[in-house]
Amino acid sequence: MTETATLALLVLVFVAVALGLVTTLSLVPATADRARGLWPVMISEIVIVAVALGFVLPGGLVTGLGVGLLAGRCGFEAASVVFSPTGDRRAVGLAIGCVAAVAMMPPFLGGLTGAGLGLGALAVAIVAAARFAPPARPADAVVVFVFPLAALVAFAAVAARSDGAAILLLAFLLVETMDSAAVLGGRLFGRHKAFPRLSPRKTVEGLVAGAVAVAGATAILGLAVMGWSFGRIVIVAVTAAVATVAGDLTASWIKRRAGVKDYPPIHAVQGGVLDIVDAWIVTAPALGVVMALV
């Protein structure tokens, strides 16, 4: 079995374990009330996993189109909350989203050169948007270019690699492990706010639970599946944990600056697509760098 197929199977196992855990906690009187509140998130996670596997596993054109659609929606969401505070946010968001979708294609056709072309197209689009529909803060145009747009180009560049599917699935698995353990740990044991202004629902206890879960998952993957050295396991675990939190907090920071709670919603429970993939589009490129260097 290839690494990609093994990781896809592990993603499904992860979902099954999470489903079993939430079911068990829902039946235990001491944790039932809090655990039952996790069911909408659990059902949402199942849908997210199905969509992610559906566009990552096929590779080639299907993956390229999937990344393009993802980038188009994320570009729309980010631009629509930042640009044109007194004008038509939707129109600006759609324009940036369309350019973002197209800008994901060059990395699949020309590697790093293609990624550069994609970044160039996005830079032109951002300059035009800032010229005709300026954001409340001029620096916010640069912020949107860096995240999520440049992050998405890096994500596409990783997806286009021969080992891209495996890296995307590894990142997805570790991000979901971190997020799920952090949510569960926060719901059950959370007492101290980690980032009260930026992300009020995150707790120190939840982040610790997430980091421990990522360390354990990376150790198991590294030893049983990937054949990694101890040093590589540590680097991957730390990178995944830091990148996951960084992506999530960056997306939250942009929303707070724009004065909105969520990006334009696509799902009642999770909010916008960018609310769902904010950590993944940062973690996958970070792990791509690690895999290339370590």
Side-chain angles (χ1 to χ4, degrees):
M1 186 180 291
T2 65
E3 281 188 357
T4 300
T6 301
L7 288 167
L9 179 60
L10 288 174
V11 169
L12 295 176
V13 170
F14 166 83
V15 172
V17 170
L19 189 60
L21 180 60
V22 173
T23 299
T24 301
L25 292 172
S26 297
L27 298 174
V28 176
T31 57
D33 289 341
R34 292 185 178 183
R36 286 171 186 166
L38 295 173
W39 276 106
V41 177
M42 186 72 246
I43 294 170
S44 175
E45 288 297 323
I46 293 172
V47 174
I48 292 169
V49 167
V51 172
L53 291 178
F55 85 77
V56 170
L57 288 178
L61 180 61
V62 173
T63 299
L65 290 174
V67 173
L69 289 172
L70 176 68
R73 177 67 196 191
C74 289
F76 162 75
E77 291 178 2
S80 64
V81 302
V82 170
F83 285 96
S84 190
T86 59
D88 190 344
R89 293 175 180 269
R90 184 177 178 83
V92 176
L94 286 172
I96 295 294
C98 288
V99 176
V102 174
M104 298 305 113
M105 296 301 104
F108 283 87
L109 301 174
L112 291 178
T113 301
L117 291 174
L119 285 173
L122 288 169
V124 171
I126 289 294
V127 170
R131 174 70 174 81
F132 295 104
R137 302 178 183 86
D140 285 353
V142 178
V143 171
V144 171
F145 175 75
V146 174
F147 182 91
L149 298 180
L152 284 161
V153 172
F155 184 89
V158 170
R161 286 168 44 169
S162 59
D163 59 349
I167 294 174
L168 293 188
L169 290 176
L170 175 63
F172 185 84
L173 184 60
L174 294 180
V175 166
E176 290 299 303
T177 298
M178 177 87 180
D179 283 348
S180 299
V183 169
L184 183 59
R187 286 289 183 94
L188 298 179
F189 312 112
R191 296 293 183 273
H192 304 90
K193 301 294 185 182
F195 311 101
R197 291 188 178 181
L198 196 55
S199 187
R201 288 182 292 183
K202 282 184 173 53
T203 64
V204 174
E205 294 82 0
L207 290 177
V208 170
V212 170
V214 165
T218 307
I220 293 171
L221 281 171
L223 295 173
V225 179
M226 304 295 191
W228 291 341
S229 66
F230 176 76
R232 195 178 211 197
I233 289 172
V234 171
I235 292 172
V236 169
V238 171
T239 300
V242 172
T244 296
V245 175
D248 189 45
L249 290 181
T250 301
S252 295
W253 176 66
I254 293 172
K255 288 188 294 184
R256 299 298 173 266
R257 282 172 65 88
V260 299
K261 181 179 181 295
D262 292 311
Y263 292 102
I266 197 170
H267 191 283
V269 174
Q270 299 279 13
V273 169
L274 195 49
D275 290 301
I276 298 170
V277 303
D278 48 11
W280 191 27
I281 63 175
V282 172
T283 304
L287 290 181
V289 173
V290 169
M291 297 305 172
L293 298 179
V294 179

